[in-house]
Amino acid sequence: MRPKPRLRLRPRPPAPSGARRLARRHPGALLALFLCSTGGALAALALPAALGHTVGRLVDGGPVPWAGLLLCAALTLAETGFDAGAAVLTTSTGARLTAHLRTRTTARVLAAEPRRALAVPTGDLTARLTARTADAATAPVTAAGAVAGVLLPLGAIVGLFVIDPWTAAAFLLGAPLLVALLHTFTRRTADAGADYQRAQSVIAHRLTEALDGADTIRAARTGAREYRRILEPLTTLAAHGRRTWAVYGRAAGQSALLLPLLMLLVLAVGGLRLHAGAIGVGDLVAASRYAALAVGIGSLTGALGALARSRAAARTLDPLLTLDPLPHEGLGPLPGGPGHLELRDVGVVQDGKQDGNQEGKQDGRQDGEPLLNGEPDGKPLLTGVRLTVPGGTSLAVVGRSGSGKSVFAAVVGRLLDPDTGTVLLDGVPLTAMDPALLRPEIAYAFARPALPGTTVEDTIAFGPWTAGPAAVREGARAARADGFVGLLPYGYATPLTDAPLSGGERQRLGLARAFAHPGRLLILDDALSGLDTVTEHHVRRALDERAGRCTRVIVAHRLSSAARADQVLWLEDGRVRATGPHEELWADPEYRAVFRTETGEAEERAGVGAYEGAGAGGALPRARTEAEAGVQ
């Protein structure tokens, strides 16, 4: 019986990655940090008063004020202890908040639709999830620790007023200049920090591109050119770095000039008041100490700079933290079935969110800055696809490069939601299913599979659930991977770092992972392209054994893949050109031309077409990799 549909769940967008939200994560630690900072500041403020009183007693003569000396020693120890505790809490709490923010941001990215989540280039995304999260997570810690930086100068000014209003007034004469200095420093530091982070993102993106295409670069002998392209933004990065240090240096130089002048002015007025008999020697000692604490407002520059960097980093994380998760209607498990697949007027339009890795756009962005919320450019990837695949049968998806084969594979497995139309699995729309319940029903294998895990067994067992040892070995046998795995130093326990794998062996491990996690729908996106003829034959036999129990969708480049399928979907420019058995479509010369190789049509007539395409292509290679790793 079909589950009763419920209203679509639309989670509220989360709050931005600000200090308030993070502070609620570890309130106890931040409260302890606040108390330590406050305790240290209060001890530092009490010490000048106690020291001044003790010195006054000593100057006046009489017995040694042991109580005052002990109080000064106790306050000194208390200040040192509180400062040490604050330092420990700052480090430990900052580390925990960074880990939490990284986990939350990563989870948000992985829960979103790949087309939206992976709009940010890989290098920039890595920088945001590492360095930016660390900078953003320091905000609540810095704010809690900055209490001392604010309390000390304010308390010192109050102490000066208590000792002598004229001495306090002397300090306040220069206070507006100091406040203006801090305001300018904070604003300029925030701007320089944001520009520096953008330049870092460009370098990270270009480096990731070069690493992904290392073989192509070596083959084309363009290493020197790529080296220059990657390091080109270093000039901009260096300029922003020098600008940051110039801001710090200018603020430090102005502080070094202003603060001693304020201190000298306070001491001069205090000396005049001492000469006039308005205050005593002990009061002058206390006033000098309070003046030193009051001019210490310049120490706030470090905290303000950290807060400015944190705010700039938080702005880069906000677009990731506001990504909507895959919407669904919260339906329970799918009704029993062998994987009946139906597409109703499915269309996919490429939009600007997929072009985030393009650099140098003339839209006001910095070079290489990702376009996360771009306007759609309206390029159709699939248009009006109508198709029914009976459960338990096999479908070969064929077409020239760029025809939409990989986009089709992504849509039927809900790695990508269509912009129009509906995809149903056993009568239930994919968008209605809870992704946690849908993902175990769909297995994927790719031309260039990701291999997570520590050992060979780990990477085969990795998936919506951890496959057991028996399922791992059965999957490896079906993918014809057990032979080369047995030759590895420790078999299935061999670390991946110690297992040199060819492209075909990597594909077989990806196939083994798909076989080890059987569901009602198996999608192979050019996952047989790196296999030799004998291995491919055995893998196809394993696929045929799943007939009646599992629907197989095979993005095919080889003639043999289409010939063995129950049904063929022929795509052209994102539209359905034709569907039907391979024998019927073969009568069309344009269909035969899809499989034509440089060796001519003789091989086609012999049924041995060996088209070795460079890959499935398509618009979402990164989306396939992430979802294949089980992150949906």
Side-chain angles (χ1 to χ4, degrees), residues 129-298:
L129 294 177
T130 53
R132 303 295 177 270
T133 51
D135 290 337
T138 61
V141 175
T142 303
V147 173
V150 176
L151 187 59
L152 281 175
L154 293 181
I157 294 173
V158 173
L160 286 175
F161 268 107
V162 171
I163 294 172
D164 182 52
W166 290 100
T167 306
F171 176 81
L172 293 179
L173 285 175
L177 295 176
L178 192 56
V179 173
L181 171 64
L182 294 177
H183 174 73
T184 303
F185 169 79
T186 303
R187 177 172 53 81
R188 291 179 177 175
T189 299
D191 294 340
D195 292 340
Y196 189 87
Q197 291 171 357
R198 279 192 290 268
Q200 281 183 318
S201 297
V202 174
I203 294 176
H205 167 52
R206 293 183 179 183
L207 179 59
T208 303
E209 279 186 331
L211 292 175
D212 288 341
D215 291 339
T216 302
I217 294 171
R218 280 195 293 266
R221 300 181 63 85
T222 57
R225 187 195 309 168
E226 283 298 303
Y227 180 83
R228 291 191 297 270
R229 187 181 75 90
I230 294 170
L231 297 185
E232 179 187 3
L234 278 180
T235 303
T236 304
L237 186 71
H240 294 319
R242 287 192 295 269
R243 177 178 154 207
T244 301
W245 285 112
V247 171
Y248 273 99
R250 190 177 299 110
Q254 293 171 349
S255 299
L257 178 63
L258 179 60
L259 299 184
L261 289 176
L262 283 176
M263 186 73 177
L264 181 61
L265 181 60
V266 170
L267 291 177
V269 173
L272 293 175
R273 298 290 289 169
L274 175 64
H275 180 72
I279 60 175
V281 175
D283 294 331
L284 181 60
V285 172
S288 65
R289 294 286 298 172
Y290 279 129
L293 293 177
V295 298
I297 194 172

Side-chain angles (χ1 to χ4, degrees), residues 98 257 400 500 555 578 615:
T98 299
L257 178 63
R400 299 183 186 277
V555 174

Side-chain angles (χ1 to χ4, degrees), residues 128 299 318 343 448 536 538 606:
R128 296 191 193 195
S299 63
D318 285 343
L343 286 82
R448 298 177 60 187
E536 181 187 1
H538 287 284

Side-chain angles (χ1 to χ4, degrees), residues 506-518:
R506 295 179 68 90
Q507 276 193 359
R508 278 184 273 175
L509 289 183
L511 286 165
R513 183 166 58 218
F515 286 138
H517 298 85

